[in-house]
Amino acid sequence: MKKNGKMTAVILAAVLVAATAGCSRNQSGEGGNVGTEALKTSGERQLNVLVEAGSPAFDVAEQTAVEFEEQTGIKVNIDAVPYSGMYDKLAAEVTSQAGLYDVACVDTVWMAGLKNGLLPLDDIVTDEMKLDFPETLVTDGTLDGTLYGLPAWANGKVLLYRTDLFEDNTEKENFKAKYGYELKVPGTWQEYLDVAEFFTRDNDKDGTIDMYGTSLSAKTGGDTVISFLEMAVQAGGTPLVLDSEQQVMVNQQAYVDALNHMKALYDAQCVPAGIFEMAAADHVKMFSEGKLAMAPVWCAMYTNAVDKDSSQVAAQTGVAVMPAGPEGVGIVPAPFYHVIMKGSGQQDVAAEYLKFINDKNSLYINRGMAGRTSVLEHEKDAHPQLKVLLDSMQSPLSEGRPKVVQWNEIESAINVVIQNVLKGQQTPEDALDALKSEIEEMF
């Protein structure tokens, strides 16, 4: 395979836009962003923490800063920047080892590129702490057998559905008459397709479909790629994309099955015509407007759908695991991690802060997510999306994306394949064979 170490910060910063959209209230950098100059010039002892502006990490860092200072005498200095600027700052820190930042909260897809500037955490994170996280999150924070990230929170796909439609006796009778089995929240791909077709309809008889059965992400970006990879996981496509020897796996049958499933949903016209400009945020918006019977969205977006001030179906919203493929249920989590920068001049304090912030994991519930199993278990009755997330992450099929510096390039190539297949420009087999060759050229 040809060597290619290219990975631009600009492209990396665009990875998983959909996932971060589900986590962030704003990307402005306002509020708590002290700026680089303040970090450099302040003379008092402090811990410098880099987080995404408006993210759950910013919220929790801000809420707990005073308490940490009271306990340790060390001020927590928060530098909050937009997602698009995070990787640039971290990459510069890795290169310079200037010690500007002590702790950061990072997207999982950045960790391979930042590894040389991160402090190993195996001597800091105890086995007891590891056991309180779903195994897939610990695995995602581990590179080459070494733990570099302490999970902060995880996002993952869940299925929203309209309880009023599924519980309606007339709908039940009509569905059974057409498909020969009881109407229920779909548990398999075929049931998902059947239910999506059934609920796609022109309710006001004006010649235009005004409620679709479900939706599908096909807009260029990480959300679309994760949707495809989740289906590949559900069809048995693990390890994802690359095996342990970095052999490319994308043309195996599970990936063909995943594309065929996406194409079946698209060809059945039970998803909106504009899916090539749609991602999860668009799905939850349409669902909240009563225009979708089901919607595959990020777990954190459940709170949008049940918000009585903004959702027309807040009281009629249920949440379930994504339908199982031929091999079962599985998702591709999108976690963020707390890391310690290797250039930090106070790694002992940074380690103390990581343990402190880990004890505050329940605060992420305010944003509809968490990372620790104990927190998810404790909150699952009050927050049903968390039970769904935990059940999904604990499936043996669930797996994170490959931890390679070429991931942004791989993701871009996968996006093209998905769109070409949905538009009928390539067969799944031909597209995936070509994708395999393209990925091999990246290494």
Side-chain angles (χ1 to χ4, degrees), residues 90 116 130 233 349 403:
L90 289 165
N116 291 338
K130 290 181 185 178
V233 162
V349 177
K403 296 181 286 291

Side-chain angles (χ1 to χ4, degrees), residues 99-143:
L100 183 60
Y101 297 107
D102 302 297
V103 173
C105 191
V106 304
D107 194 330
T108 182
V109 296
W110 299 338
M111 291 183 67
L114 299 173
K115 185 183 78 168
N116 291 338
L118 303 181
L119 184 72
L121 301 182
D122 290 311
D123 293 334
I124 297 170
V125 178
T126 66
D127 289 342
E128 182 180 4
M129 292 169 68
K130 290 181 185 178
L131 288 173
D132 196 22
F133 292 101
E135 185 177 351
T136 184
L137 298 190
V138 177
T139 300
D140 255 14
T142 302
L143 293 88

Side-chain angles (χ1 to χ4, degrees), residues 161-173:
Y161 65 93
R162 288 273 300 278
T163 56
D164 56 326
L165 296 177
F166 281 85
E167 294 169 2
D168 183 271
N169 287 330
T170 301
E171 300 288 8
K172 290 179 179 180
E173 291 173 5

Side-chain angles (χ1 to χ4, degrees), residues 65-127:
V66 171
E67 182 180 348
F68 185 78
E69 184 174 2
E70 289 174 348
Q71 288 185 11
T72 65
I74 299 171
K75 179 182 179 182
V76 178
N77 205 8
I78 305 168
D79 191 8
V81 300
Y83 182 86
S84 58
M86 285 281 292
Y87 186 81
D88 288 345
K89 286 207 168 193
L90 289 165
E93 177 72 6
V94 169
T95 299
S96 67
Q97 293 290 297
L100 183 60
Y101 297 107
D102 302 297
V103 173
C105 191
V106 304
D107 194 330
T108 182
V109 296
W110 299 338
M111 291 183 67
L114 299 173
K115 185 183 78 168
N116 291 338
L118 303 181
L119 184 72
L121 301 182
D122 290 311
D123 293 334
I124 297 170
V125 178
T126 66
D127 289 342

